[in-house]
Amino acid sequence: MLSGAQNGAPWFSAAELAAMALPGMPATKRGIQLRAEVEGWVAPEHEGVAWRRRVGRGGGLEFSAYALPVPAQAALALAEQDRKAADEADTFMAERRREDLWRRYDALPDRLKAKAQKALRVVEAVELLVQAGTRKTHAIMQIARLNGVGHTTINNWYRDLHGIDRCDWLAALAPHYAGPVRSVECPAEAWEILKADYLRLSGPTFEACIRRLQDEAKMRGWTLPSTKTLKRRMDALGPQLLTLCRKGEDALIRMYPPQKRDRSMFHAMEAVNADGHRFDVFVKWPEGDQVRVVRPVMVVFQDLYSGMVLSWRLDISENKEAVRLAFGDMVERYGIPSHCWLDNGRNFASKWLTGGVENRFRFKLREDEPQGIMPQMGVQVHWTRPYSGQSKPIERAFRDLAGDLSKHPKFEGAYTGNTPMNKPDNYNSKAVPLDEFVAVVAAGIREHNERVGRRSAVCAGKRSFAQAFAESYATAPIRKATEEQRRLWLMAAEAITVDRRTGVVTLEGNRFWADFLHDHRGEKVVVRFDPQNLQADLHVYRLDGTYLGAAPCQETAGFADKTAAQTHGRARKAWVKAQKEMRDAERRMSLQELQQVYDRTNDDVPEEVPEARVVRPSFPAPATHGNAALAVLPDEDAELLREEAEEAEMRRVRNVIRMVR
């Protein structure tokens, strides 16, 4: 049985119980009363629980479910649940009606909202007179005369307000009439022809499509709506569909709002991104005894947390050597990042940098592919979406930095314009000397980093990129590179098969050999070498990154400088071709001269590097493929000294050769 009439349980009279026709209960009032007397429902000890005296006119007794048999209690409980569900449904529908009223009101223009506000003032004036004791009919007539409104109109307003809560009167009084919608019929086939003609990537004008359709309609006897009507129906398809059909998918993607990503989640040097930019400036680029006019390319690494430019390199083209050297400058100066977002170009996806990283856009991952510099240093590489400047924050820096630098006063006459159709009147009237160009770029990058009042999340409109970077860098856990890791970005990795008979490794016509290579005859190994000095010792690794040793050059047959060939993206076959390719290769030996000029420029204005107070050691990351992790063993001090002496001697010899020429 139920727990009784406590906690607000309902009470029923004998007549109400009889009208419910509950199972096992009499169907008359007298039958209920007799049942109560026989079963003792009205026992004194059950008063207030099973029965109570009715308060009010007529008196009598009321009974709770506690006094009823179990079948009747169950039927009564089900009926109560149905009543609650009906009440909830009524409440829900009432709320829906309120939402519909206010949604309709909000969609109206101001002139119709003003009519609703005027109607509300009239109705409230009538209500005020009624509360003062005036009959409603007289109040309506009086207010109608004073406001110039018909009393029938006021009565219609009261009709609209019937059953509406007073807080919703304004929305209920809003005009909701609508004029008749007249639609001019258009033959279905004609409409399909018009859509097929207009919704093309060629983007024909609507007037031209209409003229063709009207000619067809005359031949077929169609009656067409007006041009304005058809244009209105075409525009109703939506700008998204029209853009996709007439301008293509890329234009549609540009309509989607770009994602605003929060970079303050990082700390300084935790994440970087890189890209290349070609300047719109003509520069005199020395190539041996000649000077070539080019538009230089700058490869830049940028800190994602602060937006500060960390390192940059200039070259004739965007190539893997420039990317590698810029990455080395960043690591040497500031440390090793944990994450790096790279462009999907061939030079950034080069195996020298990202070999072994999966999901590259440009190259497939091979089993015998050597690990690149970034994976070996534990840098997690992320690839940006192809042809999407929004996914690379450095593109914003290029617009701010490179765009202003190209229009520097010292470059007047050398500026090319940002598009072929936007050439200045003094186009190609001047070319800037290389040393002057490098000095201006260096000064511009310093100003870009130190400009106060940046409005990024971390600068908050008060600090510069450099200040935000230095503040975070001082307390961030920075990974510094070891001597062995520094060798990684100064060397270029190649997978070469060791000679099966002699154990000799041949690279660009130069033959390298050491005793330990006999144990790896016929196997593929990874070699790292200085591209500017191919006669220096060759450092040999297994494919899994294990260091084997240094192999000295036994026979000098190859060309001494490979950097220039890699800079122009030509294959190594260029060194064994005819005299014309050899002459061009000789001209391309100017990259080292550029590096020397760049170094002298930086020496003139030394850049202050913030001190990293929290330094954590950097350990090589596990190989992304293969069976073992990279294990680089340090060389002996004597070996290091010998290598440094040989490199210094080679630099001296090259300088002497240039002087003789």
Side-chain angles (χ1 to χ4, degrees), residues 643-658:
E643 291 179 1
E644 293 175 358
E646 289 182 358
E647 292 175 359
E649 180 64 16
M650 290 302 302
R651 287 195 296 270
R652 187 184 66 80
V653 171
R654 285 198 296 271
N655 291 334
V656 171
I657 293 175
R658 290 194 183 95

Side-chain angles (χ1 to χ4, degrees), residues 54-76:
R54 185 178 181 183
V55 179
R57 185 177 179 180
L61 302 178
E62 291 181 330
F63 304 96
S64 71
Y66 181 83
L68 305 180
V70 173
Q73 289 185 19
L76 193 60

Side-chain angles (χ1 to χ4, degrees), residues 7 27 103 134 142 231 281 349 392 414 416 508 511 571 603 617:
N7 299 326
R103 187 180 298 110
T134 306
Q142 183 69 20
K231 184 63 168 66
V281 179
K392 294 174 288 186
T416 65
E508 298 297 336
R511 297 165 59 85
D603 292 338

Side-chain angles (χ1 to χ4, degrees), residues 274-276 278 297-301 311-329 342-355 360 362-363 366 369-374 383 488-495 507-508 527-529 531-532 562-575 588 591 595:
D275 202 359
R278 184 178 294 278
V297 173
M298 180 173 64
V299 176
V300 177
F301 278 82
S311 63
W312 54 279
R313 285 276 179 162
L314 290 172
D315 212 329
I316 296 178
S317 64
E318 182 184 287
N319 53 77
K320 54 182 174 290
E321 281 299 308
V323 177
R324 182 176 59 84
L325 294 173
F327 176 78
D329 292 342
L342 292 177
D343 185 76
N344 69 307
R346 299 183 64 89
N347 301 302
F348 288 93
S350 167
K351 61 184 177 182
W352 287 12
L353 291 168
T354 61
R360 286 189 293 176
R362 293 289 181 174
F363 305 104
R366 301 194 307 268
E369 183 178 46
Q371 272 197 300
I373 299 171
M374 292 185 179
W383 303 104
L488 296 180
W489 70 75
L490 294 176
M491 304 294 174
E494 293 286 345
L507 178 66
E508 298 297 336
V527 299
R528 297 191 180 275
F529 58 94
Q532 298 180 358
K562 187 185 177 184
T563 302
Q566 294 166 339
T567 301
H568 289 274
R570 294 187 174 92
R572 290 182 297 276
K573 297 179 182 179
W575 303 114
R588 292 194 298 267
L591 180 56
Q595 295 170 354

